[in-house]
Amino acid sequence: MGVRQRPAKKLNKKTTKKVAKKATKKIAKKAAKKTTKKTDKNKALKKAIKKTAKKVVALPGLGHEVHLFNSIVELIRITSAEIPNDIQKVILEALAAEEKNTTAEYAMNIIKANIELAKKKSQPICQDTGTVLFYISHPANFDQIKFTKIVHKAILASTKKGYLRQNSVDSLTGENPGTNLGPGHPDLHFHQHTKNTVEIKLMLKGGGCENVGAQYSLPNNELGAGRDLDGVRKVILDAVQKAQGKGCGPGVLGITIGGDRGAGYVYSKEQLLRKLDDKNSNKVLADLEKDIVETSNKLGIGPMGFGGKTTLLGCKIGALNRLPASFFVSISYMCWAYRRQGIQLKADNSIQKWLY
Amino acid sequence: MKRLNYPFSKEQIRELRVGDMVLISGKLFTGRDAVHKRLHDGTKPPVELKNQIIYHCGPVVLQDKKTKKYEVKAAGPTTSIREEPYQWEVMRDYGIVGVIGKGGMGPKTLEGCKQYGCVYFHAIGGAAQVLAEKIKSVDSVHWLDLGSPEAIWELSVEEFPVVVTMDAHGGSLHSKVDADSKAALKNFL
Ligand code: SF4
């Protein structure tokens, strides 16, 4: 996506200041203790602060803490308010493909207008700002614990600013602390790579579409789906038919063939990090992806389930090994409000470039 | 494109058919899970619901600190099927003429629509910004004790875009699309 010029809204000046202040205070105090021997205490303290101020933010493997905080808040703002280009392109194609003066075209036109308006106002595209999923690729010696703490701070700040709705509820008490933080929230996935850079991808996945996800265990007698690619195809199409428009279609499927139940769902969401216009390097899967989209779009479910030509905007499939005894197909559905973005960080943790 | 203007009436509603694209201008009352549950448990509504429309929506509403005026920041529909056990009762007991939501509703609601003269309007799921722009003012709020998203917000809307997916004559676009797509799928397996 290259470099974007964005109107950097007043980026959490308060919070960043606080973070910085706290950090400097701590180290300054330490430094002050050491220097008490000197006669001119004030002078020494000032010196110490100056000296340590630089060190304060330089965390091993993390670089500048405040920059990182700012970068993540900006990543959240953009992800919540702007649909990536690869997805917007397919949405516009879907709009063009619908017949004029139909409910399907009507729905797609409103979706298009909503995408434009959200971007213009820098407001959430959909009010359900979803589960906050981070995927972090980092070099060796990266401090995941510190990183996680900064992510939490960034989420708090983004919630206060309205980039994220208060969207995280205690499953036992039903209480909503309004912070978007708690067990499982946010959901962070760390991954070490051989590159020297840090890449952060973010996906906001709404509840309506998550609810129509499905996991099948093959064979499935009811659907006549065996333990082969044809069986896989059958259960995927069944999931599309069952979802109807309930996941705010037209949507995109992320699918895992194989794995255990847990890995299957996790990996199916990772498929949604792929660009819509990429091509699966596995020919069999590439063909299946194409087939699923084409066949689904012949079912006539259409945008919002109103009937129409576009039921799916895309389908991305990955395969994991399985045990001889199990054969799972795990399907995650992503609504049209497909919010994912990514950034690559500079050495000082400011944003080097946008990934989508 | 059809228009539905306030005050709404049963006669206007009975003219609407599945598949109609409608722009609603006038008054809407938000009401979702907690409101329906409370009505079901026997509490009388704090507003006269006769010939009114209920919107399944938990809006994001901000209040201006100085003027105390409310402003709706986001107002997309929420999934309607959760109100399936209660919706028909609200039609019967309080005489509403319309429900707006997303995802459609089931047979109980469809029967209620037919019997009491009501329609289900499908708004565009996820279109929080476009729909918020159609809300011209917030006129009152009731049952705020349920929390802001669950309260009853009285909203004035202009050209609020919806599609009739369940009408007062037993028609349901949802069951039709479901049945047709099921039949179509058989040909591709
Ligand atoms: S499914 Fe997606 S578009 Fe629909 S309400 Fe949920 S987050 Fe919004």
Side-chain angles (χ1 to χ4, degrees):
Chain A
M1 154 140 306
V3 183
R4 290 193 188 187
Q5 291 291 334
R6 297 178 197 288
K9 286 211 162 172
K10 283 180 226 158
L11 250 183
N12 292 300
K13 268 194 194 151
K14 252 194 195 160
T15 329
T16 31
K17 259 190 198 162
K18 257 191 203 161
V19 174
K21 247 191 199 166
K22 253 194 193 163
T24 23
K25 257 191 195 163
K26 251 193 194 166
I27 297 187
K29 257 189 195 164
K30 263 192 200 163
K33 257 188 195 166
K34 274 188 194 165
T35 50
T36 37
K37 274 182 190 169
K38 284 199 178 177
T39 40
D40 193 348
K41 276 186 188 175
N42 261 344
K43 217 177 170 185
L45 189 65
K46 262 188 199 164
K47 229 181 172 180
I49 291 177
K50 234 186 183 176
K51 218 173 153 189
T52 46
K54 269 185 208 156
K55 275 190 201 157
V56 168
V57 284
L59 298 163
L62 269 184
H64 297 52
E65 198 175 326
V66 176
H67 283 179
L68 180 61
F69 171 86
N70 286 340
S71 297
I72 296 173
V73 171
E74 180 65 354
L75 173 62
I76 294 172
R77 178 178 79 85
I78 294 296
T79 310
S80 176
E82 298 183 17
I83 295 261
N85 287 348
D86 59 312
I87 296 154
Q88 185 159 7
K89 181 169 163 271
V90 180
I91 288 178
L92 292 179
E93 284 165 10
L95 167 61
E98 291 296 348
E99 268 169 52
K100 305 293 154 227
N101 303 319
T102 55
T103 49
E105 189 210 22
Y106 184 59
M108 291 309 296
N109 260 323
I110 292 174
I111 285 170
K112 174 175 175 253
N114 196 72
I115 291 172
E116 286 164 0
L117 195 59
K119 181 172 177 179
K120 199 177 106 197
K121 291 169 54 175
S122 188
Q123 295 263 347
I125 292 165
C126 174
Q127 64 198 341
D128 183 357
T129 51
T131 304
V132 181
L133 298 141
F134 279 99
Y135 300 86
I136 304 104
S137 303
H138 61 80
N141 296 323
F142 177 85
D143 191 336
Q144 297 186 353
I145 296 174
K146 279 226 164 90
F147 181 89
T148 303
K149 279 189 185 147
I150 295 171
V151 166
H152 286 188
K153 278 184 187 141
I155 286 185
L156 263 181
S158 304
T159 308
K160 274 196 192 132
K161 286 182 154 290
Y163 306 157
L164 297 174
R165 176 173 81 171
Q166 300 180 356
N167 217 22
S168 177
V169 175
D170 184 311
S171 293
L172 301 181
T173 62
E175 210 181 301
N176 184 340
T179 59
N180 279 319
L181 300 175
H185 281 180
D187 190 13
L188 287 101
H189 301 258
F190 291 99
H191 163 75
Q192 187 179 320
H193 61 183
T194 49
K195 286 191 261 178
N196 208 16
T197 52
V198 176
E199 286 180 6
I200 311 170
K201 291 182 177 173
L202 170 63
M203 189 154 73
L204 302 175
K205 189 163 186 311
C209 60
E210 184 69 2
N211 289 346
V212 298
Q215 190 168 59
Y216 294 83
S217 175
L218 296 180
N220 181 312
N221 294 333
E222 200 190 321
L223 299 170
R227 294 181 137 202
D228 50 21
L229 270 185
D230 186 56
V232 170
R233 177 178 181 271
K234 275 186 179 145
V235 296
I236 296 171
L237 290 172
D238 182 65
V240 172
Q241 198 281 328
K242 289 220 170 83
Q244 292 287 301
K246 293 190 192 84
C248 291
V252 178
L253 301 184
I255 297 170
T256 306
I257 304 173
D260 69 357
R261 287 187 186 273
Y265 267 134
V266 170
Y267 196 55
S268 73
K269 288 212 176 79
E270 285 174 18
Q271 296 303 310
L272 297 170
L273 297 174
R274 288 169 50 194
K275 278 194 181 169
L276 271 192
D277 54 8
D278 78 348
K279 194 159 181 193
N280 202 318
S281 54
N282 181 316
K283 170 96 174 47
V284 173
L285 294 180
D287 289 348
L288 185 59
E289 289 174 355
K290 200 165 162 246
D291 174 21
I292 294 292
V293 173
E294 284 174 6
T295 309
S296 299
N297 288 343
K298 286 179 193 153
L299 297 181
I301 296 167
M304 291 293 130
F306 289 167
K309 299 220 163 116
T310 308
T311 299
L312 284 188
L313 298 167
C315 174
K316 301 290 167 190
I317 307 177
L320 295 175
N321 276 17
R322 59 179 177 84
L323 298 182
S326 6
F327 198 135
F328 296 111
V329 181
S330 310
I331 303 165
S332 287
Y333 189 105
M334 177 61 106
C335 54
W336 68 260
Y338 194 148
R339 289 153 291 170
R340 68 138 152 71
Q341 238 327 327
I343 48 177
Q344 188 188 316
L345 298 179
K346 285 186 198 163
D348 70 354
N349 280 338
S350 57
I351 297 172
Q352 168 86 38
K353 67 169 183 189
W354 293 84
L355 299 178
Y356 294 101
Chain B
M1 193 72 63
K2 291 193 174 172
R3 284 172 186 281
L4 186 65
N5 295 324
Y6 198 81
F8 313 123
S9 70
K10 297 263 172 203
E11 291 69 46
Q12 278 175 305
I13 288 298
R14 286 191 202 277
E15 277 170 28
L16 296 173
R17 299 279 168 168
V18 160
D20 282 348
M21 297 171 247
V22 183
L23 296 174
I24 302 176
S25 296
K27 210 185 271 301
L28 305 178
F29 292 95
T30 67
R32 51 185 290 181
D33 308 61
V35 167
H36 284 82
K37 179 80 175 43
R38 191 175 272 185
L39 292 176
H40 171 77
D41 290 344
T43 309
K44 290 266 167 298
V47 284
E48 172 65 47
L49 287 178
K50 194 167 169 3
N51 291 334
Q52 304 293 351
I53 295 176
I54 286 185
Y55 181 22
H56 296 157
C57 167
V60 180
V61 186
L62 293 186
Q63 188 173 24
D64 190 299
K65 278 190 190 119
K66 276 185 203 146
T67 62
K68 299 276 171 225
K69 257 187 124 170
Y70 289 111
E71 199 193 338
V72 177
K73 284 288 173 193
T78 185
T79 302
S80 298
I81 196 70
R82 293 193 304 265
E83 316 321 331
E84 176 69 5
Y86 318 120
Q87 200 65 72
W88 69 277
E89 287 178 349
V90 182
M91 296 175 183
R92 179 193 64 189
D93 298 343
Y94 303 113
I96 56 169
V97 290
V99 173
I100 306 175
K102 72 158 177 152
M105 298 186 74
K108 269 190 184 172
T109 304
L110 188 59
E111 185 54 33
C113 283
K114 201 170 155 188
Q115 221 168 337
Y116 308 112
C118 191
V119 293
Y120 179 83
F121 297 107
H122 201 301
I124 306 305
Q129 296 305 329
V130 164
L131 297 179
E133 286 237 315
K134 308 293 179 190
I135 296 170
K136 296 304 164 189
S137 64
V138 178
D139 302 331
S140 70
V141 58
H142 306 271
W143 288 0
L144 207 45
D145 62 298
L146 296 173
S148 172
E150 294 279 349
I152 297 180
W153 294 93
E154 181 182 341
L155 310 172
S156 284
V157 299
E158 233 172 81
E159 306 201 328
F160 192 90
V162 291
V163 172
V164 177
T165 56
M166 295 160 69
D167 62 26
H169 309 281
S172 165
L173 186 62
H174 304 287
S175 29
K176 184 176 179 299
V177 172
D178 186 35
D180 290 355
S181 58
K182 213 179 232 159
L185 181 56
K186 285 215 175 93
N187 299 326
F188 300 116
L189 291 181

